[in-house]
Amino acid sequence: MIAKRYGKMVEILNKINERMLVFTLAVMFVVLMAQIFARFIFFVPLPASQDVLTFLMVASVFMGSGIAVANHKQIALEFFVHALPHKIRNKFMVVADGISIFFLIIIITQAYELIGKTQHTLVGAAQIPQMYYYLLVLFGCVIMAVNYINQILIKVTGEQMKEEE
């Protein structure tokens, strides 16, 4: 019961994350096209556009990492795990997911600390506050951790949410 409720909440969070990623990619496309037209048609450089593209690329990577975990597409070396019996495999994967959460907590705490330390530091021609880069790291890692917790709950309780179309 708890796993299903948590899973439903995670599903909503993942949908919001996916929409934000699509928006980010659309903005990247628009900025890139503006950069190309400005530079090669009008011969006017857009110095801030490269910084904006870099920022959006970082955002897309961290938003995409949460989506990858939600869809079980994260980088994993599971080739020998699939040879194990189902119950042992689940226990092994719970431990692996727990280790992943542990490392994500370390990254989250470091990102949180760096947000405070860099909040007044501006980066590049676009003058993007450096704290926003660490905020993206924090956001992406929280989404990943939430999805790993969901996977652990599903494996431990045996409750699987039905995919709604």
Side-chain angles (χ1 to χ4, degrees), residues 39 94 138:
R39 180 166 296 181
V94 165
L138 183 117

Side-chain angles (χ1 to χ4, degrees), residues 129-144:
Q130 191 171 12
M131 68 175 273
Y132 291 152
Y133 288 92
Y134 294 114
L135 186 61
L136 293 172
V137 172
L138 183 117
F139 176 77
C141 289
V142 166
I143 297 292
M144 288 174 67

Side-chain angles (χ1 to χ4, degrees), residues 19-80:
R19 289 189 175 114
M20 287 175 26
L21 179 59
V22 168
F23 178 76
T24 300
L25 294 175
V27 172
M28 282 177 67
F29 177 76
V30 169
V31 171
L32 183 60
M33 294 309 293
Q35 184 182 39
I36 290 169
F37 279 104
R39 180 166 296 181
F40 297 109
I41 295 177
F42 302 114
F43 304 107
V44 177
L46 296 176
S49 64
Q50 193 62 40
D51 294 331
V52 171
L53 286 171
T54 301
F55 178 78
L56 294 172
M57 180 62 74
V58 171
S60 67
V61 166
F62 281 97
M63 283 188 255
S65 63
I67 294 168
V69 172
N71 294 317
H72 304 285
K73 302 293 183 193
Q74 70 271 22
I75 296 174
L77 301 173
E78 301 176 3
F79 55 90
F80 79 94

